[in-house]
C-alpha cells in the first residue's frame, strides 16, 4: 500500500494553538457538518442474548437489517479491562510528539501511528491522528508499533483484544442462529483464526469544527466492529435515509456495527451503513474501534445457506488474497468495495 505521510493534526493544533485550519482539511459546503435530530439506534442486551431470549435475538436481527448499528449493553467485559484500554489509548496520545513518531506507519504497512489511505496531494484530510494495530491472530502482532513507554499498554491491549473477540464470537453465534445458519460454519471462517485489528482515533478540537471532518464517511470493511467511546465527547454520526444523525453512546456500552463482509456473507440481508465522525470546537475526542474479519483461509462471499440458487448470489466469492487486493484498490481509488464485490 502506498501512503503519503501527513503531519500530525494533534501536533499542528498544539503548535498553532488551533487558530489555523489549513485548506487541505476544509470541506466543500455540501460536505459540511449538517445533521438532523438524533438517531436512537437499537439497544441490545448482551446478557439476554446469552440467556437465549428469543425477543432479544429477533431485536438484534432487525437492528442488523434496518440500522446496521446497535448499542450493546451488559456486555460482560470487566470494567477494569475497558478502563485499562481507555487509559492507555489516552496515554499514547499524551506522549511527546517525538516519542509517538517512533511508531509512525511505514510504507506498505497498516500498523502504526499516522493516517490511513492518504494517497493524493489534493485529497481532503481527516482531522484526526490514529494508532492502528493488528491484534489477532497473535502472530499478526507487530510489536514494533506497540508503544513500550507506557508500562501497561501491551497487557491492556492484549486483555481488551481477547475480551472483545469473545463478545464478537458470541454475537456471530447469534447472527448464525438468526439467519438459520449452522454456527459452526461461521465459527470455522471467523473463530479461532479470525482477524482482529484495533484502531485508536484521536480527534483534536477544531475552531472550525463545522468545516472539517474527523473521519470521512465510510463503511467498515469487516464483519463486525465494536466501537468504544473513550471520553464524554460525542462525534459519531450515521447516515440514514440520506441524512446524517448523531449517535449518543450510552455509558459503558459498545457501539456495534455491521461491516461490508457481513453484508456480503448475508447476501445483503444485513446492512453495512455509512458513518463518519465529527469534531468538537473545544474538546478533544477519543474512540477505539475493534474490527473483526474472517481468517485468511476463509472465502469471502455469500454463505451457502443465504442463497437458495447459485444465481441468487448478489456478491462474488473470493479468496483472501483477492479480497485484500480488491480492498486496497478500492480504498486507494476511493471506490466502493461493496460495488466491486457485486456480481455483474
Ligand atoms: O470515532 C468513532 O466514533 C468512529 C470511528 C470509526 O468509524 C472507525 O474507526 O471505523
Ligand atoms: Fe468506521
Amino acid at each position: 500500500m502506498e501512503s503519503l505521510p501527513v503531519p500530525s493534526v494533534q501536533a499542528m493544533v498544539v503548535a498553532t494553538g488551533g487558530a489555523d485550519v489549513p485548506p487541505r482539511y476544509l470541506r466543500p459546503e455540501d460536505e459540511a457538518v449538517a445533521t438532523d435530530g438524533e438517531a436512537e439506534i437499537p439497544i441490545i442486551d448482551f446478557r439476554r442474548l446469552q440467556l437465549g431470549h428469543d425477543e432479544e435475538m429477533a431485536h438484534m436481527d432487525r437492528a442488523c437489517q434496518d440500522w446496521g448499528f446497535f448499542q450493546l449493553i451488559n456486555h460482560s467485559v470487566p470494567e477494569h479491562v475497558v478502563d485499562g484500554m481507555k487509559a492507555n489509548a489516552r496515554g499514547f496520545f499524551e506522549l511527546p510528539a517525538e516519542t509517538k513518531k517512533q511508531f509512525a506507519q511505514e510504507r506498505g504497512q497498516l500498523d502504526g501511528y499516522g493516517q490511513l489511505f492518504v494517497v493524493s496531494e489534493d485529497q481532503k484530510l481527516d482531522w484526526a491522528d490514529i494508532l492502528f494495530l493488528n491484534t489477532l491472530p497473535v502472530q499478526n502482532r507487530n510489536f514494533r508499533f506497540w508503544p513500550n513507554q507506557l508500562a501497561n499498554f501491551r497487557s491492556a491491549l492484549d486483555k481488551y483484544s481477547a475480551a472483545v473477540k469473545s463478545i464478537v464470537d458470541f454475537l456471530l453465534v447469534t447472527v448464525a442462529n438468526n439467519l438459520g445458519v449452522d454456527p459452526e460454519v461461521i465459527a470455522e471462517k471467523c473463530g479461532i483464526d479470525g482477524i482482529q485489528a484495533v484502531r485508536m482515533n484521536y480527534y483534536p478540537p477544531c475552531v472550525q469544527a463545522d468545516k472539517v471532518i474527523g473521519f470521512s464517511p465510510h463503511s467498515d470493511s469487516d464483519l463486525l466492529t465494536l466501537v468504544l467511546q473513550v471520553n464524554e465527547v460525542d462525534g459519531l454520526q450515521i447516515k440514514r435515509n440520506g441524512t446524517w444523525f448523531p449517535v449518543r453512546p450510552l455509558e459503558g456500552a459498545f457501539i456495534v456495527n455491521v461491516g461490508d463482509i457481513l453484508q456480503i456473507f448475508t447476501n445483503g440481508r444485513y446492512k453495512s451503513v455509512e458513518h463518519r465522525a465529527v469534531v468538537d470546537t473545544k474538546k478533544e475526542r477519543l474512540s477505539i474501534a475493534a474490527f473483526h474479519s474472517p481468517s485468511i483461509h476463509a472465502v469471502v462471499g455469500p454463505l451457502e445457506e443465504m442463497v437458495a440458487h447459485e444465481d441468487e448470489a448478489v456478491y462474488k466469492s473470493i479468496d483472501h488474497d483477492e479480497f485484500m487486493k480488491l480492498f486496497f484498490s478500492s480504498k486507494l481509488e476511493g471506490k466502493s468495495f461493496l460495488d466491486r464485490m457485486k456480481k455483474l
Side-chain angles (χ1 to χ4, degrees), residues 210-251:
D210 57 344
K211 304 257 171 22
V212 303
I213 293 185
F215 197 150
S216 296
H218 66 284
S219 63
D220 295 347
S221 61
D222 61 344
L223 282 160
L224 282 178
T225 308
L226 258 64
V227 179
L228 177 67
Q229 181 156 295
V230 174
N231 58 350
E232 73 293 348
V233 183
D234 294 344
L236 176 63
Q237 301 186 337
I238 64 174
K239 203 174 200 178
R240 198 165 160 77
N241 306 324
T243 308
W244 289 105
F245 291 94
V247 171
R248 308 277 175 222
L250 297 168
E251 175 85 38

Side-chain angles (χ1 to χ4, degrees), residues 300-311:
V300 172
L303 298 173
E304 242 171 66
E305 292 88 338
M306 300 303 297
V307 279
H309 311 286
E310 182 74 20
D311 53 359

